[in-house]
């Protein structure tokens, strides 16, 4: 399967690349600088370059986007959101899987972002994640999309290959980046969920 991964050198993206290659998929590793990753086709591309992104998507079976907003806070989150919206409006032929944030998960119908005690430092990315999810939920019916949110805590850890899947609500408090990648690749290979948001936690 042809899989293009945006953010291929990040914590999640790099593990997605490793997992996809280990399973024998044809991986296009997309970064801003086109950094070479052995075993992949390395491509330099900015996610805001919509014509190039759409062209790559139409040449792929699946596109995984693991690009949160600019962490420097210099660039407004709207820059990233508008790039998502343009891709949505283009309705590419590939299945689009977006790595979202945990703050958009819900408990008793309330976003984690809006619950007492939610960390201030995570507010910005959570607001992005909620808006990004809502844009996909309002997308044309022909777009095959999936948003995948991690557990509230995601960090490098052990690849056990075992996880719990949830829909919209947290499935647990922690997931290793390795098991998160396993869950996403399992969903790519056996696509059970479409036009919705799922989440993974360690089992």
């Amino acid at each position: 399967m042809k899989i293009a991964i945006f953010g291929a050198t990040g914590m999640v993206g790099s593990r997605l690349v490793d997992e996809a290659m280990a399973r024998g998929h044809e991986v296009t590793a997309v970064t801003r600088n086109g950094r070479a990753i052995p075993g992949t086709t390395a491509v330099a591309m900015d996610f805001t370059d919509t014509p190039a992104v759409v062209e790559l998507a139409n040449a792929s079976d699946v596109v995984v986007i693991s690009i949160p907003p600019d962490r420097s806070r210099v660039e407004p989150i709207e820059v990233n959101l508008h790039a998502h919206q343009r891709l949505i409006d283009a309705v590419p032929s590939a299945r689009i899987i977006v790595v979202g944030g945990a703050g958009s998960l819900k408990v008793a119908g309330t976003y984690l972002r809006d619950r007492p005690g939610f960390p201030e430092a995570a507010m910005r990315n959570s607001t992005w994640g909620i808006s990004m999810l809502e844009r996909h939920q309002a997308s044309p019916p022909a777009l095959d999309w999936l948003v995948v949110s991690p557990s509230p805590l995601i960090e490098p850890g052990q690849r056990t290959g075992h996880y719990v899947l949830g829909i919209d609500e947290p499935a647990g408090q922690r997931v290793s980046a390795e098991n998160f990648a396993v869950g996403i690749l399992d969903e790519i290979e056996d696509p059970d969920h479409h036009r919705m948001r799922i989440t993974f936690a360690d089992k």
Side-chain angles (χ1 to χ4, degrees):
M1 192 177 294
K2 295 181 178 180
I3 304 174
I5 300 174
F6 282 79
T9 56
M11 179 181 70
V12 172
S14 62
R15 286 158 176 83
L16 288 168
V17 168
D18 290 345
E19 187 69 27
M21 287 197 301
R23 299 187 188 205
H25 295 290
E26 184 179 333
V27 177
T28 299
V30 186
T31 60
R32 283 183 173 178
N33 60 14
R35 175 180 165 184
I37 300 175
T40 74
T41 299
V43 172
M45 189 181 300
D46 196 300
F47 182 56
T48 60
D49 184 356
T50 303
V53 173
V54 171
E55 182 177 1
L56 177 59
N58 286 334
S60 306
D61 298 306
V62 179
V63 174
V64 184
I65 303 167
S66 182
I67 304 178
D70 178 18
R71 297 182 190 277
S72 71
R73 296 178 178 264
V74 172
E75 181 179 278
I77 62 173
E78 286 76 17
V79 173
N80 182 290
L81 289 171
H82 291 164
H84 276 286
Q85 188 63 61
R86 292 193 299 272
L87 180 60
I88 289 168
D89 293 342
V91 193
S93 59
R95 187 181 189 202
I96 305 296
I97 297 179
V98 186
V99 175
S104 64
L105 293 169
K106 291 183 175 182
V107 173
T110 300
Y111 289 121
L112 289 184
R113 181 200 65 178
D114 299 332
R115 295 180 65 84
F118 191 80
E120 180 65 32
M123 285 287 185
R124 180 174 181 270
N125 272 23
S126 296
T127 297
W128 163 82
I130 291 169
S131 181
M132 181 272 294
L133 174 62
E134 290 174 344
R135 287 166 185 258
H136 283 84
Q137 289 170 334
S139 66
L143 182 68
D144 188 3
W145 63 269
L146 181 71
V147 172
V148 187
S149 292
S151 297
L153 175 61
I154 180 171
E155 59 187 357
Q158 184 179 2
R159 183 197 182 283
T160 67
H162 302 295
Y163 55 83
V164 180
L165 184 149
I167 296 174
D168 282 335
E169 296 190 355
Q173 289 302 306
R174 180 190 181 277
V175 65
S176 71
E178 289 78 6
N179 284 340
F180 190 64
V182 170
I184 291 176
L185 262 295
D186 283 351
E187 174 64 29
I188 288 173
E189 293 180 340
D190 187 11
D192 288 334
H193 303 88
H194 299 269
R195 295 183 58 81
M196 61 191 301
R197 190 266 300 282
I198 62 174
T199 181
F200 297 114
D202 285 341
K203 188 170 184 179

